[in-house]
Amino acid sequence: MKIKNIILVIFLLFVSCGGDILEDSESTDSNNILAVKLRGIWMVGGLTGASHTNVVSAVDMYDPVTDTWYPSITRLPTPVSFAGACSIKVSDSDHRIYVFGGFDSSGNVLSTVQYYTIETASWSTGVSITSPRANINAVRLNNKIYIMGGSSSNASASYTSNTTTYAYYPAGDSWTTMTVFGATASERFMLASDSVIYNFAGRNAYATLIPVTTNHLGFNIYQSVLGAETTATETVLTSARTGIAGDIYEASSGDVMIIAGGFTALTKSATATSVITNTTSSTSTNLVQYLAYPFITSGSSWQTGTATGTTFPSRGFGSSVVYYSSSLSPNYRLYNFGGTDNLSSASGSIGAGWIDLPQPPDAWTYTWTSVTNMPTGRYGFTAVKIQQ
C-alpha cells in the first residue's frame, strides 16, 4: 500500500508541473535544463485552424538529440500568427527569442515586440515596431534583427504590402529605418549570408504570387548604411511560391540555401491581407531545392532534390531549421515542422521530420524521415533555433 501511495504522489507531482520534467528544478540539474533549452528548437506562434481566432499561445520545444517534445514550455503573452521571430545571443548568459508583430486572435495587425529570455524563463516587451507588421519573416545579422516588407493592415482589410526595411538592435532596444528594398511584397522569405539579406517568394497582391521572372535585389547591409542596395541580382525561383520554409548552412564549397514546400497558386474572393481570409482554393507543393553560393544569376541556379524514399510533405507555411549535433547521424539535418496543405480549410499539421542536406556539386537525393509528432499542430509560425 505504501508503494502505491508513493507512486500516486509522484504521478500527481508530474501532473501538477504540466507533465514537464524539464521545468522541475528539484529533480533536474539546472545546468542540464539550460543545456537542453539552448539546444532545443522552439515553435513560436501560428494557427491551428482556418480562423485567426485559432491562434496558438503555447510555445512547444523539441530536442532533436533525444527526439523529445516539451509541450507548452512557455506561452506567448500575446499570441500571434504570421509574425517574425528569431533568436539572438545578447551575451553568454542572455539568449533571447524575439517575436515581432503578427496578427492577434482578432486578426488585428500588431507592432508589438515580445521576447523570451532563456536563462530566466521570462517574457519582456521591447520598443514597438515603427509601424505594425504581419506576414513577415525576421533574420539576424551582425547583432541586429531585420524585417522587410510585410502587411500593415488587419487580416480582413484590403491587401497592403510594403517595401520598408526595419533594423532592431536588441542591446539598445531601438529601431532604425533602412533603405527600402524595392519590391512591394508580403510573406517574403529571408536568409542572410555574410553582410547580405536575401529575400524572395511571397505575394505582391491579395491573390497574386510574385512571378519567377521578377528579379529580387539582395539587400547589402553595409551598402545600405551608405544609402544604396547591392546591384547583384538574385537567382530567380523555378516556380512562384508563398509560405516556403528553409534555412542556410555552410557546405564545403560555401554557403547553401535550402527551401521546401509552400503554395504555388491560390484563389481569393476578396482583397484581404491575410492569406487564409476568403481563400477558396490553394495548391501546395513538396518541392525541395537548394541554391549554392554565389546567389546571383551569373553564378548559380536552383537545384531540385530527388526523393529516394518518402517524399517531403506537400505543405506550406511550416517552418524549417538546419540543425547540427555530434550526437546525430547524419550530424547535419534540415528539420521541418507543421504547415498546412489547404488554405481554404486550413488545419495545422502535427507532422515533423528531417532530410539530409545537399553537398554541392554532388547530385542530391533525400528521404523524408518522420520524428515524433508535434504536441500542437500549427502553421503560420516560426521554428526558432537558439543562436549559440
Side-chain angles (χ1 to χ4, degrees), residues 105-119:
S105 60
S106 298
N108 298 314
V109 62
L110 304 180
S111 60
T112 54
V113 175
Q114 309 175 74
Y115 69 90
Y116 180 79
T117 304
I118 305 295
E119 284 80 1

Side-chain angles (χ1 to χ4, degrees), residues 223-271:
Q223 290 187 16
S224 72
V225 172
L226 302 176
E229 291 178 324
T230 178
T231 56
T233 302
E234 297 176 23
T235 303
V236 297
L237 298 175
T238 58
S239 61
R241 270 163 285 170
T242 193
I244 62 174
D247 203 351
I248 193 167
Y249 64 99
E250 185 177 355
S252 57
S253 57
D255 283 353
V256 178
M257 297 180 183
I258 182 169
I259 58 175
F263 287 89
T264 58
L266 59 92
T267 303
K268 290 171 66 65
S269 58
T271 56

